[in-house]
Amino acid sequence: MAMDALEQRLAALEKRLEEAQRERQKSEAKQSKQDRELRALESCKIEDERHTAQLSKMVTSLEAKLESCKTQATEAEELAATNLNLFRRKQQELEEAELRASEREMEWAKCRKRKV
């Protein structure tokens, strides 16, 4: 009887050992899978950081271009205002000159009529 009990105990221990070994294999497989996933995520993170750096560089470049365009637009507006004012002043001077020329022509015509 003691021998049967020992054999049963040995069989139970062997069964537990096999179960523990299967659990260990499952755990190792799961660990290996999670390690692969972690490496993949780290790779994605590095790639994302690289893309973020490129995008940041592009944003900085575009902001500089935008600022340059704003400056050019402001300068163009100022130049247009200056040119418009110059045009209006010259137009007024032309109108005044035409008026004086018209007056001179009328005076000249009067003088010619007197001499005739």
Side-chain angles (χ1 to χ4, degrees):
M1 202 149 231
M3 187 67 154
D4 286 339
L6 288 176
E7 286 178 358
Q8 287 177 353
R9 175 126 170 97
L10 180 61
L13 289 173
E14 286 175 346
K15 185 177 178 183
R16 281 182 57 196
L17 176 63
E18 289 174 4
E19 288 174 4
Q21 287 174 339
R22 280 194 298 273
E23 272 302 309
R24 182 173 182 234
Q25 287 176 343
K26 286 179 185 177
S27 294
E28 286 175 350
K30 189 174 181 180
Q31 177 70 34
S32 178
K33 180 182 176 186
Q34 297 215 342
D35 285 345
R36 284 191 305 274
E37 288 177 1
L38 179 61
R39 283 193 298 275
L41 289 172
E42 287 173 343
S43 177
C44 286
K45 177 186 172 238
I46 291 169
E47 191 68 18
D48 286 348
E49 288 172 349
R50 187 176 65 80
H51 285 290
T52 300
Q54 286 177 338
L55 290 174
S56 294
K57 187 177 178 181
M58 288 172 58
V59 166
T60 302
S61 174
L62 290 173
E63 286 173 343
K65 283 183 181 180
L66 179 62
E67 193 60 37
S68 175
C69 289
K70 285 181 180 178
T71 302
Q72 288 177 351
T74 301
E75 290 172 355
E77 287 176 358
E78 291 171 358
L79 183 60
T82 301
N83 287 340
L84 183 60
N85 289 334
L86 180 62
F87 172 78
R88 288 180 179 159
R89 191 173 67 239
K90 292 301 179 182
Q91 187 177 24
Q92 185 177 359
E93 289 174 6
L94 176 63
E95 289 172 0
E96 291 171 358
E98 287 175 345
L99 182 61
R100 286 192 306 269
S102 176
E103 290 171 354
R104 299 290 186 269
E105 286 176 3
M106 288 172 55
E107 288 175 15
W108 176 253
K110 286 180 186 176
C111 286
R112 283 185 21 209
K113 281 185 183 178
R114 285 187 207 158
K115 290 187 177 182
V116 173

